[in-house]
Amino acid sequence: MAFKITARTILELGAELISSDGVALYELIKNAIDAGSRRVHISVQVVLTHSSFLSMCEDIETNPGTIQEIKDEILEALNDVNEELLSSLDQELSDVHTRNNLLKTFKEWYKSTNWIKVIDTGHGMSKNDLQDIYLTIGTRSRLTQKLSIQQESDKRVPLGEKGVGRLSTMRLGEYLYVKTSREGELHYNDLKIDWSRFSHSSDALLHEIVLTPERGEKKLNPAKSGTIVEIGNLKSDWSLDKFRDVIAEEFSRLVDPWESRTANNILRLTFNNKRIFIPEIDRRYLELAHGTCTAKYYIEGLNPYLEGSLNYKLRGKLLPFKLNVTELISTAKAGSSSQLRSVGSFDLEMWWFNRRLLTEVTGLGKKKEITAEINKWSGGLMLFRDGFRVNPYGGADDDWLELDKKAFSSKGFKLNRQQVVGRVKISWQNKGLIDQTNREGLMDTPEKATFIKLLQHVLLNEFKSFLDREDKAVRVQERTTFDNLEDKIESAQEDIKQKLRLIEKALPPEDRRLVKQASSIVDELVKFLDEAKALGKEYAEDRAQLVYLAGIGLMVEFIMHELERATSATLRNMDNLNISKLEPSVASAIDILSDQLSTLHKRVANFDPISTSKRQIKETFEVNEVLQDIIASRKGQMSRHRIKIELISENNKILKIKAVKGMFIQIIDNLLSNSIYWLKCQSMLDHKLIPVINIDIDTTEKMITFTDNGPGIDPAMAEQIFQPFVTRKPAGEGRGLGLYISREIADYHDWTLDLERASTVHSDRYNTFVLDFGRS
């Protein structure tokens, strides 16, 4: 059965795919650039808005006056129009004597005097091109051209590939006139389309509407090429203000504003013959940023990497970062390294502004003016493909990276779109990042989801966390301590007494100057007290974190207690069974169950030292035995993930220490949990990997070394990993507290827990932790 497509379907398709006038013009610009034009001229002429035109048409049809009276009213209403254009209308109306002809003539005049022209000097189109390509909706000519360009070619890659850009003309106006020619042709090639034939009221089938390109006028210079797209009967109320709004929102970000060839180099814009310039970013404002971030995602061999640099200019702090393929799989929750590779390389550059700290700058203006200029470019990260913007990312109403959502749901420092100016650069080679057919962003693909997670990691996990840590360090360092707070209060009190004595001696009672000085000192006291409150709040927040951890510990303690009680009771009951009276198969099953419960009971017993009654009690115990018990408790988990664990003690010597056994278990358990997680990630990449964990007990030096053959740790992160809330695991799978708590426990015992600054497995990574018991 053949599908019958009506002309109305094409109109609806255009409205669906081209969502705004700005997007429509953007598509026409891209078509011109794809045609090889170095510059594109957009000329808008509006002598009458569309709504006013419709109103005047209605008046012509319903006005009870004579034809001459209606003519006079039309000319009077258009009194502000260009004299030449008004004169041409007056002349055309002079030979009109019926209402129908008057309406027809007025509409023709509107069509010829209200238009948008897109003019380029590209390679143009032949008559066959107009018929076979331009009139074919969804042609893949640009995609074919794009795929034919090899990576090493210096040819510019086409911006479009969907073959729907010509529907933009339908969005803008009811009439289309295309005048085009290729180099060497003697005549222009013309195409005229009345889009009203595709109106909602039309039931005509598509094949019933014949559109035929025609040979146009003779060219003055056959060597010239190019295209003029003229759109008449404009559907929107175009004005200078609307044109400026489109320019500010669409054209100012049309091309990457950080590149040398700006939008004004590419576009020439005029409105009623007046040149309009596109706003450009002033790099001097970027120098006012309080923080910057650069990042590069690239593929080396078969492995992707993400590395960058963080600069907290306000604090004078710099921090590099680098993630390898295993960490990226964890961060982006990617199913495989091939999914990471299919995202393709990209670059990120971002400037962050703390608006409260913006001040007047000579040569740039007052704080309000500087803020307004930054507002023009803020809104999050803009996305550019081959130097041209992918709408609507980074726009006023777009939060594609969910920065605002994350800011509202987070504690402490807020990172939102209005603080951020920046860009992400991709190219046509990012084949997994596909433009939507309606030109509004990228299609929802696994690659897009991974791409967004990688960007969010850079902005939130790396940049925001870095700023949070540095701000907290400054607060702790600079904030008034309780010791000198007391001194300041005492000093201020003495000042008050002195001033009050002077007041008593002051002869002129109306003299209030000294009283004001005393009041200011009181204000200082209040300030000091506020500092004390803030410091107390800081301590309370830290304590709240420990309370949270304690809550988890209590929950674990309760569960383990119940499990221990249940397994003990069940084992006692089993011991009382007379197995000899049971069927052999049942007796065998009970034996197996008894063994399993014994194993479970042993594992649960390992957690007993963490219970409240024993948590803070130091005792002397054998490290070897406790480690063996911990390893036994994870035997099933190790087996499931094919992880081999080796416990080594030279000559089987025993190491004894005096410590809180439960706390020691917490350290080892955390190191094991981290190793298992990252070995699982590494196994996803390397199916031939034999995951191994080595625990070496050195009885002479009284230390344990803990090594696995997982991805290891970036040397630049060697100290950061021990700070709270630093993690490379995805949200929900790690809070970044394990190593922080483990080191705190080590400090409590006067031990040291550190990362061995040596490459024990990989040449550029660290894989070994050292727990040094010292004199314990």
Side-chain angles (χ1 to χ4, degrees), residues 37-292:
S37 184
R38 292 281 300 170
R39 298 200 72 190
V40 182
H41 180 195
I42 296 182
S43 180
V44 180
Q45 179 173 287
V46 176
V47 299
L48 185 65
T49 63
H50 184 63
S51 58
S52 297
F53 163 70
L54 294 177
S55 178
M56 292 181 71
C57 287
E58 182 181 0
D59 187 62
I60 292 172
E61 293 179 315
T62 60
N63 194 318
T66 65
I67 296 299
Q68 187 57 50
E69 288 174 341
I70 297 174
K71 289 181 185 180
D72 292 340
E73 289 182 12
I74 290 174
L75 296 174
E76 177 64 27
L78 299 173
N79 188 49
D80 295 334
V81 172
N82 177 281
E83 185 176 343
E84 182 180 347
L85 296 176
L86 192 60
S87 177
S88 68
L89 175 61
D90 189 14
Q91 185 176 352
E92 291 174 22
L93 293 178
S94 62
D95 296 329
V96 174
H97 304 290
T98 66
R99 191 180 295 266
N100 285 340
N101 284 340
L102 177 59
L103 182 61
K104 181 180 178 180
T105 301
F106 180 66
K107 287 182 176 181
E108 286 296 321
W109 176 84
Y110 174 77
K111 182 175 72 174
S112 65
T113 57
N114 295 265
W115 40 255
I116 295 174
K117 291 182 181 179
V118 181
I119 306 166
D120 73 62
T121 56
H123 52 62
M125 291 177 282
S126 67
K127 193 175 176 182
N128 287 338
D129 291 336
L130 285 174
Q131 183 68 56
D132 299 335
I133 298 177
Y134 196 83
L135 285 176
T136 303
I137 304 299
T139 180
R140 311 305 293 271
S141 61
R142 294 299 183 205
L143 178 59
T144 302
Q145 179 185 354
K146 180 180 292 188
L147 294 177
S148 68
I149 297 177
Q150 300 301 317
Q151 180 176 352
E152 57 271 17
S153 172
D154 59 357
K155 293 182 180 179
R156 193 193 55 75
V157 178
L159 302 173
E161 64 178 47
K162 303 293 185 182
V164 297
R166 68 273 287 146
L167 295 179
S168 298
T169 63
M170 180 187 293
R171 162 86 192 195
L172 296 170
E174 292 183 344
Y175 175 75
L176 170 64
Y177 170 39
V178 180
K179 182 179 180 179
T180 184
S181 176
R182 298 185 71 89
E183 181 181 352
E185 291 185 319
L186 300 178
H187 291 81
Y188 288 102
N189 306 298
D190 293 351
L191 176 66
K192 297 178 181 179
I193 301 177
D194 183 356
W195 291 117
S196 63
R197 298 172 67 188
F198 298 77
S199 68
H200 291 285
S201 60
S202 173
D203 291 323
L205 295 177
L206 191 59
H207 71 272
E208 295 175 349
I209 300 178
V210 179
L211 301 173
T212 305
E214 299 177 350
R215 189 172 80 166
E217 64 182 359
K218 190 173 182 178
K219 291 167 61 177
L220 296 177
N221 185 352
K224 296 289 186 180
S225 64
T227 301
I228 300 175
V229 176
E230 180 179 332
I231 303 158
N233 279 6
L234 302 180
K235 293 181 180 180
S236 299
D237 281 347
W238 284 91
S239 64
L240 180 58
D241 287 340
K242 174 176 177 172
F243 193 44
R244 289 188 188 278
D245 289 342
V246 170
I247 289 171
E249 179 58 29
E250 302 291 345
F251 297 169
S252 63
R253 305 178 187 214
L254 168 70
V255 297
D256 192 333
W258 288 274
E259 298 297 332
S260 57
R261 193 172 182 225
T262 64
N264 282 309
N265 298 134
I266 297 174
L267 300 180
R268 177 181 172 85
L269 309 174
T270 57
F271 188 90
N272 289 347
N273 293 319
K274 179 183 179 181
R275 176 75 186 272
I276 309 296
F277 288 94
I278 302 169
E280 296 182 358
I281 195 165
D282 189 336
R283 289 181 174 273
R284 292 179 299 169
Y285 290 95
L286 299 179
E287 295 299 320
L288 304 179
H290 300 98
T292 63

Side-chain angles (χ1 to χ4, degrees), residues 610 615 630 661-671 738 741-742 745:
I610 306 178
R615 187 179 299 140
I630 294 173
K661 187 187 292 186
M663 290 186 174
F664 171 73
I665 291 174
Q666 276 189 277
I667 295 177
I668 301 302
D669 196 59
N670 176 69
L671 294 176
I741 293 171
S742 295
I745 291 173

Side-chain angles (χ1 to χ4, degrees), residues 298 300 305-308 320-324 327 462 714 716-717 728 764-765:
Y298 60 95
E300 192 173 276
Y305 295 91
L306 176 62
E307 65 176 279
F321 66 90
K322 184 175 183 179
L323 280 72
N324 67 8
E327 292 169 321
E462 299 291 348
D714 182 359
M717 294 286 293
R728 288 281 165 83
D764 58 346
R765 311 282 287 186

